Amino acid sequence: MQEPLLGAEGLDYDTFPEEPPPPPRERARAGALQHKRVFLATFAAVLGNFSFGYALVYSSPVIPALAHASDPDLHLTKTQASWFGSVFTLGAAAGGLSAMVLNDLLGRKLSIMFSAIPAAAGYALMAGAHGLWMLLLGRTLTGFAGGLTAACIPVYVSEIAPPGVRGALGATPQLMAVFGSLSLYALGLLLPWRWLAVAGEGPVLAMVLLLSFMPNSPRFLLSRGRAEEALQALTWLHGAHTDVPWEFQQIQDNIRRQSSRVSWAEARDPHLYRPVLIALLMRFLQQLTGITPILVYLQPIFDSTAVLLPPKYDAAIVGAVRLLSVLIAAFTMDLAGRKVLLFVSGYAMGWGPITWLLMSEILPLRARGVASGLCVLVSWLTAFVLTKSFLLVVNAFGLSVPFFFFAAICLVSLLFTGCCVPETRGRSLEQIESFFHAGRRSLLR
């Protein structure tokens, strides 16, 4: 707790300091150096999101290629194409379900590393596919890995990042997912579909290699009674220039207050169910905006329109615009605030990166592992329903019907943001949690 300026003991108060404060550029450089290890650990983790974004849109160039395949074992009908596009989301839902256990059993870091096993196996199956079952199984396995990382990486990043950079770093999972999608679109201009699967193995291996040198989340280590490891991890991440003992004590005090697991009786307490419910509704509404079926079928969507450029180039342009938008969100999230961007921006600047960040920020520590997995499960089950039905609705009614529905959901999302979503900019995870205990005033102190 900070001491008051008036009445504080110490040296006499000096109106003019002996040395002027450093200019903003030098302060920014010092901050970047101070957080360089946090940046490195974040980069290692979000390579899993790169693989997730890459795998998500793998179907976009592959469906048109296999629709004209000469091999009858690989030729896709419209029904088979809808399964190939949507089965990824079923795998992602299963990954979110497994994260409800693995996030707290193995820890955030090891759960992310574990996702490399199904991801590598899935890419290998698709690269060597000789029948539809291999394509569907490979797609399901990469979806499982994506759902697992989607639940674990935002939690890991939020728990290692200081409040001042947590917004920017919280946008990096979505940023890397978008970059992964763009990379797939770009490589799809050059490589056949089998080699696209082979190329997907690279980021998975790089993630495992880099993460093996990174520490686990200090909050997770403390929750497991490994205080010495937690202090070492916090010191390594935040450096000697921060007040590590004070930060360690704040985290330790919060964990002591929540030493037991959540019971069903406690789950009815508003300070627990309110943040979980807000996070669930954010994930649900995010998927109802239609982003997953649009990305999965992006090239076939452009095939059915009168665009001037070939569909594969249009898909790459969309990927580039998404990447630019998420970059803008990453640089402005800690300046403008979360709610402002949710109101005034589109998906890639707002509902894409910010909902993942807010999920990891507002979930209570005692239920963070299970609740994040539950959010991902709900998110991807919703995505499956939309993705499986999208092509059927388009074939029956045209593109206008689903897109009008998506537009209506965007309006509902605005109302939900204004009524229910708290502003978390510049607050520690402990302060955010106190908001749901004590009410709105705790974030205004």
Side-chain angles (χ1 to χ4, degrees):
M1 182 175 181
Q2 294 181 343
E3 294 187 7
L5 291 177
L6 295 176
E9 296 181 1
L11 299 175
D12 291 338
Y13 179 70
D14 289 329
T15 305
F16 301 100
E18 294 182 4
E19 295 182 3
R25 182 176 297 180
E26 289 186 16
R27 290 201 301 270
R29 182 173 179 272
L33 290 174
Q34 177 182 334
H35 300 311
K36 62 182 179 181
R37 289 180 175 176
V38 174
F39 297 158
L40 179 60
T42 299
F43 174 75
V46 298
L47 282 172
N49 291 100
F50 180 96
S51 180
F52 167 70
Y54 187 97
L56 173 65
V57 301
Y58 177 75
S59 58
S60 180
V62 175
I63 287 176
L66 294 183
H68 301 92
S70 57
D71 186 345
D73 293 331
L74 294 174
H75 177 76
L76 293 182
T77 65
K78 289 185 177 180
T79 301
Q80 290 171 336
S82 70
W83 276 109
F84 183 67
S86 61
V87 76
F88 178 93
T89 59
L90 276 183
L97 187 63
S98 68
M100 296 171 66
V101 176
L102 295 178
N103 225 346
D104 289 327
L105 181 65
L106 299 179
R108 291 48 158 146
K109 188 187 86 164
L110 289 181
S111 296
I112 299 168
M113 295 177 71
F114 176 79
S115 71
I117 298 174
Y123 283 127
L125 278 169
M126 290 188 290
H130 298 297
L132 180 62
W133 73 270
M134 294 179 73
L135 290 171
L136 294 180
L137 180 57
R139 190 105 169 101
T140 303
L141 287 173
T142 53
F144 180 90
L148 183 56
T149 56
C152 300
I153 292 175
V155 175
Y156 178 74
V157 172
S158 71
E159 289 187 347
I160 67 172
V165 296
R166 196 175 60 242
L169 293 183
T172 55
Q174 180 72 10
L175 176 64
M176 288 297 283
V178 172
F179 187 48
S181 298
L182 176 59
S183 299
L184 186 283
Y185 293 139
L187 288 174
L189 303 176
L190 305 173
L191 299 177
W193 63 271
R194 289 188 189 274
W195 283 102
L196 286 176
V198 173
E201 301 278 10
V204 176
L205 298 177
M207 177 193 72
V208 173
L209 181 63
L210 285 176
L211 267 181
S212 63
F213 296 100
M214 300 298 115
N216 213 323
S217 159
R219 286 174 174 84
F220 169 77
L221 293 172
L222 270 174
S223 69
R224 290 296 177 268
R226 295 150 65 180
E228 186 175 344
E229 290 180 59
L231 182 58
Q232 290 175 352
L234 197 62
T235 304
W236 188 89
L237 286 165
H238 294 181
H241 298 291
T242 58
D243 193 353
V244 171
W246 178 84
E247 186 176 357
F248 180 81
Q249 189 63 47
Q250 291 291 107
I251 299 172
Q252 195 170 45
D253 290 344
N254 188 42
I255 289 174
R256 282 173 181 166
R257 290 194 300 268
Q258 307 182 61
S259 57
S260 60
R261 291 185 177 274
V262 177
S263 65
W264 286 109
E266 290 177 297
R268 296 194 295 268
D269 193 322
H271 83 266
L272 282 175
Y273 76 71
R274 279 183 57 214
V276 174
L277 186 60
I278 290 172
L280 281 171
L281 287 173
M282 280 195 301
R283 304 302 310 135
F284 180 66
L285 289 172
Q286 187 214 41
Q287 287 295 347
L288 283 183
T289 61
I291 187 62
T292 298
I294 290 172
L295 293 177
V296 167
Y297 302 121
L298 190 56
Q299 195 165 316
I301 288 172
F302 280 119
D303 271 327
S304 64
T305 61
V307 292
L308 297 177
L309 291 174
K312 59 183 180 181
Y313 292 106
D314 293 313
I317 291 172
V318 170
V321 172
R322 288 182 66 219
L323 181 62
L324 177 62
S325 299
V326 178
L327 278 171
I328 294 172
F331 284 110
T332 58
M333 202 179 296
D334 283 320
L335 298 174
R338 283 55 156 159
K339 291 189 70 167
V340 171
L341 288 181
L342 285 176
F343 272 117
V344 303
S345 62
Y347 178 87
M349 279 183 62
W351 278 83
I354 293 176
T355 52
W356 286 113
L357 171 63
L358 279 170
M359 180 193 78
S360 62
E361 287 182 324
I362 68 175
L363 291 177
L365 177 63
R366 295 172 65 192
R368 192 169 293 155
V370 173
S372 63
L374 180 61
C375 289
V376 172
L377 175 64
V378 169
S379 175
W380 290 110
L381 285 177
T382 307
F384 169 73
V385 174
L386 287 175
T387 308
K388 185 68 179 71
S389 60
F390 182 80
L391 288 182
L392 301 176
V393 173
V394 170
N395 292 333
F397 304 105
L399 281 173
S400 59
V401 171
F403 277 88
F404 275 126
F405 172 76
F406 298 151
I409 293 298
C410 290
L411 294 178
V412 174
S413 301
L414 288 177
L415 295 175
F416 171 75
T417 300
C419 297
C420 304
V421 178
E423 177 58 70
T424 59
R425 178 185 58 167
R427 305 293 175 177
S428 69
L429 297 183
E430 286 68 38
Q431 288 175 314
I432 295 169
E433 193 153 339
S434 72
F435 163 75
F436 290 102
H437 277 278
R440 190 171 303 274
R441 292 182 181 178
S442 64
L443 280 186
L444 300 177
R445 290 175 184 171

